[in-house]
Amino acid sequence: MRVLDTWSGQFVEVDPEKTEFAILSHTWRKKEQTYDELKIVQARHGGPSDAEYSSPSPSRPPSPAPGPASPDPPPGFVLSEYPIWSDAKLSRKIRDACRVAREAGYRYLWIDSCCIDKTSSSELSESINSMWQWYGRAKVCFAHLADVPSGDDPRAAESTFRKSRWFTRGWTLQELIAPSAVIFLSDDWNVIGTKLTLISPLEEITGIPAEALLHTKSLDDFSVAQRLSWAARRETSRKEDRAYSLWGIFSINMPTLYGEGERAFRRLLEEIVRRVPDQSIFAWDDVYIDLERDQMLADSLKNTANLNRWRHDEHQGHFLFDCGLKDFNSGMIKCISRDDVLDRLRLSGKLPAQEYTFTPHGIRTTLPVVPLSSCLPRDILGRSSSDEPWSKWYLVILGCEHVDHPGGLLGRVCHIPPSAAGVEYLHCGCMYIVPKPNRSTGILCLFPLSPATIKRCRNDIRLKTVYISHPERTTAQSEDARRQPHKTINLVLLKATRDALRAQGYKAELRGPDEGHPTTHWLTLSKDDHTITVEYRHTLENAGWRLTIEADVTMSRRALDSAEDVEADPSSVEWMEYRSSLFPEEVVLTFAGKKPTLKLGFDWAVPSHYFLRIEVVEIVELSWLSRLLRSSRWRRPRLW
């Protein structure tokens, strides 16, 4: 471990298990003095070469005895003999940090910004994997809050301390939890307080229980979902660091792969399920908290006017691990032991131990599920506005509970399409509740299952082997491209869409915009006996951030049938907001006993360009006599 000698200002290699040292926690500025830059400063004052790091110069004072030395300089130490401290090229932060550590009696200090050679990928990876241990072994961590002035009262409700940027950064989470002793310093390096003396405001600011901060409980006593929630609102400069900064929290060591982006968090989740038997890792997103304690879910939802459901992947491509750190927004999810889960479910069959097998199809596992329809009020099933059959929808029963609903379990909404090949993928789902619950959002993914609900549904619970899909291949375009304002809108009709329509007998033609109509496109679908025309008009507002597209649908018949009415219901549909996809709207056309349904939507292509999504579903409306003959209720009378 490379550290700074707080007497000489030079680098020294030490064994962190045998050496007492202090450590600095801080938020980085735009410009921090790096390892290479500091070596140049050291070289001007007789700094040792890399080969000499492990053997401090004999001319320097001897190593201190065990335990922090006296704040007074040791015998033989004369600060003026080390001119590096007055060098104008030396970073002020390094100078002040070394002074504070030296005055506190610590000869060695580690600072991440200058003690790691970041030009070496192997050294950087080793350091990141070692940081939790280094902060944990340090005798003291000095946390410098550069935006908190001296004299600020950290306990005051509106204190600058509570608003410090230090509490919003990803790396400082482990730097707060890992050390036994943390001393908070103001902008001018004066002491504000310690982790122990400020434990109450620290709990309030971070949401981390005192037992975790003060090490009176092991981190393993806190669920995966709880630990991830501590970091949910923290940020890092690089996407990968949001995952890398959590390795120590879960006792995980992995190679760093800068450039992998959001996949780093996916790797972290996969490694957690390999090592930690805790299904709260699947308990991300919003929980239905309007359920009263011990109340049945069916009773809680009995006044629901409408309940819709959809798969996350229809909107965002979500499978069970396609989530982000911000989705773990609740610190109220506790892990339940397998024995407790068995006791609460009381299944007739055996519940297997948690096991996750990594296959080319994804992660295979077996989970207890209950049909979603079994948990809902009986009369609500016919009021759903979703066309998807209820038979494909389940609640996955997780081995965790919400702290407000002890004794129960959590159920996650999911969609599991049947597969003839036996590879059934688990898709995350949501339920949209109308009217909106009082204490929950309208769109929910997790539902507490009280003992009464479990008892009611026990006969319907079964074990299901499912696959958690690997993430889709990322596109070469960054997500930032999707977040750019529009300049104009261009609609594109793909060849595959034309071919699909041609197979149904439709010739598709797209034209526009033109000079007289710069915001209008026209689509015509021509068939033998009729022509469908769709006029798309778009408007842009808020400097291109808000998009509205309106489509007017008309239809014309051949001259022979011109007297017959043609109806379109509705005749106009509209899409609003800027999204990656604008999902299909339906228009039903009625003529000559036919009711073709036109499904219109859009898929994002590149900035300001959308692919047209078009589907014609043709339904022939039977005559009243045909309907009567095909009705199972009608029987031809006997003539004898």
Side-chain angles (χ1 to χ4, degrees), residues 403-429:
V403 295
D404 291 340
H405 298 278
L409 295 168
L410 272 182
R412 178 168 198 107
V413 180
C414 68
H415 178 265
I416 308 176
S419 167
V423 180
E424 296 188 332
Y425 287 105
L426 189 154
H427 302 250
C428 291

Side-chain angles (χ1 to χ4, degrees), residues 264-278:
F265 188 64
R266 167 81 184 218
R267 280 204 300 138
L268 172 64
L269 296 182
E270 290 180 348
E271 192 64 22
I272 289 174
V273 298
R274 282 189 176 101
R275 298 169 55 90
V276 186
D278 182 344

Side-chain angles (χ1 to χ4, degrees), residues 38 42 46 136 146 220 228 242 293 379 395 397 402 547-549:
L38 182 52
Q42 292 170 337
D220 292 336
L228 290 172
R242 288 173 66 79
R293 186 167 176 175
D379 63 339
L395 288 178
I397 302 175
H402 194 280
L547 164 66
T548 302
I549 300 179

Side-chain angles (χ1 to χ4, degrees), residues 13-310:
E13 289 284 344
V14 299
D15 183 344
E17 296 185 16
K18 299 178 181 179
T19 308
E20 291 191 352
F21 62 93
I23 205 162
L24 180 69
S25 174
H26 62 113
T27 55
W28 285 33
R29 303 167 301 188
K30 289 184 179 180
K31 177 62 178 174
E32 294 285 345
Q33 194 158 50
T34 66
Y35 165 75
D36 286 331
E37 291 168 344
L38 182 52
K39 279 186 67 177
I40 294 172
V41 177
Q42 292 170 337
R44 289 200 292 268
H45 304 284
S49 65
D50 289 346
E52 297 174 309
Y53 280 167
S54 59
S55 303
S57 170
S59 63
R60 300 192 188 96
S63 298
S70 164
D72 298 324
F77 174 73
V78 180
L79 187 63
S80 60
E81 293 182 0
Y82 297 89
I84 189 173
W85 303 116
S86 58
D87 193 314
K89 295 295 184 180
L90 179 67
S91 161
R92 180 181 175 183
K93 180 183 287 187
I94 295 174
R95 181 188 296 109
D96 286 335
C98 286
R99 173 184 58 79
V100 168
R102 183 171 61 246
E103 290 176 353
Y106 295 96
R107 180 172 177 182
Y108 301 117
L109 174 68
W110 188 81
I111 305 175
D112 57 356
S113 54
C114 64
C115 290
I116 303 173
D117 181 3
K118 298 176 184 62
T119 62
S120 168
S121 58
S122 60
E123 180 175 328
L124 178 60
S125 183
E126 180 182 355
S127 298
I128 289 175
N129 277 280
S130 302
M131 278 188 188
W132 175 265
Q133 295 296 330
W134 291 347
Y135 276 92
R137 292 184 182 279
K139 287 297 179 181
V140 65
C141 172
F142 294 105
H144 181 233
L145 278 53
D147 52 358
V148 178
S150 287
D152 181 73
D153 181 4
R155 296 173 181 81
E158 298 297 322
S159 66
T160 308
F161 178 84
R162 291 175 180 268
K163 300 174 184 177
S164 175
R165 182 172 177 264
W166 190 87
F167 292 110
T168 69
R169 307 305 296 167
W171 286 106
T172 57
L173 176 63
Q174 69 172 0
E175 295 163 13
L176 171 64
I177 296 175
S180 297
V182 179
I183 298 176
F184 293 96
L185 305 174
S186 62
D187 58 352
D188 57 0
W189 299 86
N190 285 312
V191 175
I192 299 172
T194 68
K195 182 162 70 168
L196 179 60
T197 61
L198 297 176
I199 190 61
S200 293
L202 288 174
E203 275 190 293
E204 296 167 5
I205 296 165
T206 64
I208 306 172
E211 295 88 345
L213 292 172
L214 299 180
H215 303 177
T216 58
K217 279 187 177 181
S218 167
L219 286 184
D220 292 336
D221 292 329
F222 300 91
S223 72
V224 169
Q226 284 175 303
R227 283 180 272 176
L228 290 172
S229 74
W230 300 341
R233 293 186 296 273
R234 292 173 178 259
E235 299 290 342
T236 57
S237 298
R238 302 190 67 164
K239 292 178 181 178
E240 297 87 350
D241 286 337
R242 288 173 66 79
Y244 299 167
S245 63
L246 294 172
W247 288 350
I249 303 288
F250 294 99
S251 298
I252 284 174
N253 294 98
M254 296 167 62
T256 57
L257 300 171
Y258 280 104
E260 65 177 326
E262 298 293 351
R263 285 177 179 264
F265 188 64
R266 167 81 184 218
R267 280 204 300 138
L268 172 64
L269 296 182
E270 290 180 348
E271 192 64 22
I272 289 174
V273 298
R274 282 189 176 101
R275 298 169 55 90
V276 186
D278 182 344
Q279 289 186 328
S280 73
I281 194 172
F282 304 131
W284 48 269
D285 229 325
D286 293 325
V287 183
Y288 178 66
I289 59 175
D290 281 46
L291 184 76
E292 299 300 328
R293 186 167 176 175
D294 299 328
Q295 184 183 21
M296 281 199 299
L297 185 60
D299 292 338
S300 180
L301 295 172
K302 64 183 179 182
N303 295 321
T304 301
N306 184 275
L307 189 148
N308 199 0
R309 62 214 186 273
W310 64 80

Side-chain angles (χ1 to χ4, degrees), residues 286-584:
D286 293 325
V287 183
Y288 178 66
I289 59 175
D290 281 46
L291 184 76
E292 299 300 328
R293 186 167 176 175
D294 299 328
Q295 184 183 21
M296 281 199 299
L297 185 60
D299 292 338
S300 180
L301 295 172
K302 64 183 179 182
N303 295 321
T304 301
N306 184 275
L307 189 148
N308 199 0
R309 62 214 186 273
W310 64 80
R311 299 192 306 272
H312 266 318
D313 58 292
E314 290 177 346
H315 293 248
Q316 301 170 2
H318 275 339
F319 287 90
L320 201 51
F321 276 165
D322 292 329
C323 56
L325 188 54
K326 290 183 178 180
D327 294 315
F328 290 88
N329 50 26
S330 174
M332 310 288 280
I333 310 298
K334 291 178 60 178
C335 177
I336 302 301
S337 70
R338 183 169 176 271
D339 288 342
D340 280 347
V341 174
L342 286 170
D343 184 59
R344 296 179 191 189
L345 289 179
R346 297 180 185 176
L347 299 178
S348 56
K350 186 178 180 181
L351 183 66
Q354 294 176 38
E355 185 174 347
Y356 303 92
T357 304
F358 288 70
T359 77
H361 298 287
I363 303 172
R364 184 177 66 243
T365 189
T366 300
L367 298 167
V369 301
V370 60
L372 187 56
S373 57
S374 300
C375 306
L376 302 176
R378 300 302 182 193
D379 63 339
I380 201 174
L381 303 182
R383 286 184 265 138
S384 170
S385 60
S386 175
D387 295 329
E388 192 92 45
W390 284 100
S391 60
K392 300 178 183 179
W393 288 86
Y394 302 86
L395 288 178
V396 171
I397 302 175
L398 303 177
C400 53
E401 67 180 9
H402 194 280
V403 295
D404 291 340
H405 298 278
L409 295 168
L410 272 182
R412 178 168 198 107
V413 180
C414 68
H415 178 265
I416 308 176
S419 167
V423 180
E424 296 188 332
Y425 287 105
L426 189 154
H427 302 250
C428 291
C430 302
M431 293 211 301
Y432 179 61
I433 299 174
V434 178
K436 179 182 174 182
N438 294 325
R439 293 180 294 152
S440 305
T441 65
I443 302 176
L444 298 158
C445 302
L446 296 161
F447 289 84
L449 303 177
S450 66
T453 297
I454 294 173
K455 181 179 179 180
R456 176 190 181 220
C457 304
R458 182 168 288 122
N459 292 336
D460 296 322
I461 297 174
R462 60 184 182 271
L463 298 176
K464 203 166 184 64
T465 298
V466 295
Y467 287 80
I468 303 169
S469 176
H470 294 304
E472 295 181 1
R473 183 184 298 274
T474 56
T475 62
Q477 296 171 339
S478 70
E479 284 298 314
D480 291 338
R482 297 173 181 255
R483 302 190 186 101
Q484 299 302 313
H486 292 300
K487 295 180 180 179
T488 184
I489 295 298
N490 294 281
L491 303 183
V492 180
L493 186 62
L494 292 173
K495 180 179 183 297
T497 306
R498 292 179 190 270
D499 291 345
L501 291 167
R502 185 180 296 112
Q504 293 182 274
Y506 286 97
K507 178 183 178 182
E509 198 174 319
L510 179 67
R511 61 186 180 86
D514 56 35
E515 187 174 338
H517 304 84
T519 62
T520 305
H521 292 73
W522 293 268
L523 171 72
T524 56
L525 304 176
S526 303
K527 206 172 185 179
D528 293 338
D529 60 342
H530 65 273
T531 299
I532 302 172
T533 302
V534 185
E535 181 179 310
Y536 296 98
R537 298 186 304 276
H538 71 264
T539 57
L540 295 174
E541 300 173 290
N542 297 342
W545 287 105
R546 182 180 178 86
L547 164 66
T548 302
I549 300 179
E550 186 176 5
D552 288 339
V553 181
T554 57
M555 183 173 173
S556 60
R557 301 291 310 282
R558 297 301 182 194
L560 181 64
D561 302 316
S562 59
E564 185 176 348
D565 291 336
V566 178
E567 297 179 0
D569 182 27
S571 61
S572 180
V573 288
E574 186 177 75
W575 298 262
M576 299 183 69
E577 304 296 344
Y578 174 40
R579 306 175 187 172
S580 298
S581 295
L582 303 173
F583 298 102

